[in-house]
Amino acid sequence: MIKPIADISAWQPPENMNYDALVEGTSGVILRACYGISEDIKFHRHYDEITKRGGMVGAYHFLLSGQDISSQAAAIERILQGKKLPLGVWADVEITSWSKLSRNQLESYLIRTREHFGESLGIYTSQYMWDSSIGAPMI
């Protein structure tokens, strides 16, 4: 049986989590590590709880168009320092009422962070979000 990969962030408070069930019922968890230049306040706790149970983790960065891309790249690099992320690092591309990332911003972010994370870096989005925010064929 193929198990899903979960996506969690500070919106799922640790005190409400059953980490044993989460690790048992998934193939892994992608954790929000960063929102713009801000660290997800529950990232390290989620990371510690999942990894100590032998769970596989990755991390994603919710990018914001209104914040400096270099500062956002520096933030994710700092937050993920020393973390083992077998499921990779993901740039979360979404459109919201307050943020619409441009293609140039995304490319700048990917160039900067790929130097740090290498081939473990990917893009996390849906076709709808990609079309609405980047407005071009997937890269």
Side-chain angles (χ1 to χ4, degrees):
M1 177 176 93
I2 297 175
K3 296 179 183 178
I5 294 177
D7 163 351
I8 64 174
S9 68
W11 291 104
Q12 291 78 37
E15 58 273 13
N16 295 343
M17 298 293 296
N18 180 338
Y19 289 105
D20 293 323
L22 178 65
V23 170
E24 178 65 28
T26 64
S27 294
V29 183
I30 307 295
L31 304 169
R32 184 177 71 181
C34 204
Y35 182 83
I37 59 171
S38 301
E39 180 177 313
D40 184 299
I41 61 173
K42 304 299 182 186
F43 170 71
H44 294 290
R45 171 80 186 277
H46 286 317
Y47 177 90
D48 291 343
E49 294 292 342
I50 293 164
T51 57
K52 78 179 179 184
R53 290 167 171 82
M56 301 257 298
V57 293
Y60 73 92
H61 187 171
F62 191 107
L63 298 168
L64 296 174
S65 64
Q67 294 182 357
D68 179 67
I69 292 299
S70 291
S71 297
Q72 291 184 76
I76 194 73
E77 291 165 5
R78 177 184 47 79
I79 292 164
L80 298 181
Q81 188 69 36
K83 300 289 189 217
K84 292 185 170 114
L85 300 162
L87 298 181
V89 179
W90 302 88
D92 186 2
V93 177
E94 297 188 34
I95 184 170
T96 64
S97 59
W98 63 91
S99 185
K100 182 179 179 183
L101 201 66
S102 74
R103 185 178 188 93
N104 286 341
Q105 287 175 309
L106 178 59
E107 287 176 349
S108 294
Y109 177 85
L110 293 174
I111 289 166
R112 162 77 189 266
T113 53
R114 190 162 308 263
E115 289 175 10
H116 190 81
F117 297 114
E119 293 302 314
S120 69
L121 181 66
I123 298 171
Y124 176 67
T125 193
S126 69
Q127 187 69 54
Y128 172 79
M129 289 291 179
W130 182 266
D131 292 345
S132 297
S133 60
I134 303 303
M138 287 214 166
I139 56 174

